[in-house]
Amino acid sequence: QVRLVESGGGLVQAGGSLRLSCRASGSFFSINAMGWYCQAPGKQRELVAAITSGGSTNYADSVKGRFTISRDNALNTVFLQMNSLKPEDTAVYYCNADVTRLNNLDYKYWGQGTQVTVSS
């Protein structure tokens, strides 16, 4: 089994910063793309940022220039640095990983979610 554990959420004032972390553990051959999604109340879960194993990134238009995704492959960890936070960034943030397991099959895993609340 593969487990994703997130940390770093919380309450921050508008204009502030938070850094989310997500570490993968378990039995697997490799971690491919990793990403962060967010889900606000009453809305669908949507992509915030993603990063490939080689370091290529893509971002939602709403966070470009404010958020930075990075990863430490040796630690099986992905980070999301969130700067200049806005009230509309308030959501539960979920970590996602595409993992190749030891049976050479690919699986998608999700973390449990971490709440980010930005006050105005």
Side-chain angles (χ1 to χ4, degrees), residues 5-10 19-23 36 78 80 95 112-114:
V5 179
E6 300 140 339
S7 61
R19 188 181 193 225
L20 307 183
S21 300
C22 171
R23 182 165 187 170
W36 290 95
V78 63
L80 185 67
C95 173
Q112 80 282 0
T114 185

Side-chain angles (χ1 to χ4, degrees), residues 7-9 17-21 36 70 79-83 85:
S7 61
S17 298
L18 285 173
R19 188 181 193 225
L20 307 183
S21 300
W36 290 95
S70 61
F79 305 97
L80 185 67
Q81 179 65 43
M82 311 165 68
N83 298 330
L85 282 160

Side-chain angles (χ1 to χ4, degrees), residues 18-51:
L18 285 173
R19 188 181 193 225
L20 307 183
S21 300
C22 171
R23 182 165 187 170
S25 62
S27 300
F28 48 84
F29 178 70
S30 65
I31 300 177
N32 309 312
M34 301 185 81
W36 290 95
Y37 289 70
C38 70
Q39 187 167 19
K43 295 188 177 181
Q44 289 189 330
R45 191 174 299 187
E46 59 185 21
L47 176 69
V48 175
I51 184 168

Side-chain angles (χ1 to χ4, degrees), residues 11-16 38 40-41 43 66-67 82-93 115-120:
L11 172 64
V12 65
Q13 288 188 331
C38 70
K43 295 188 177 181
R66 299 188 298 123
F67 291 8
M82 311 165 68
N83 298 330
S84 302
L85 282 160
K86 304 175 180 180
E88 51 263 44
D89 295 320
T90 295
V92 178
Y93 284 72
Q115 177 70 46
V116 171
T117 303
V118 185
S119 63
S120 58

Side-chain angles (χ1 to χ4, degrees), residues 87-103:
E88 51 263 44
D89 295 320
T90 295
V92 178
Y93 284 72
Y94 295 91
C95 173
N96 169 269
D98 292 329
V99 176
T100 300
R101 295 199 62 186
L102 300 180
N103 59 5

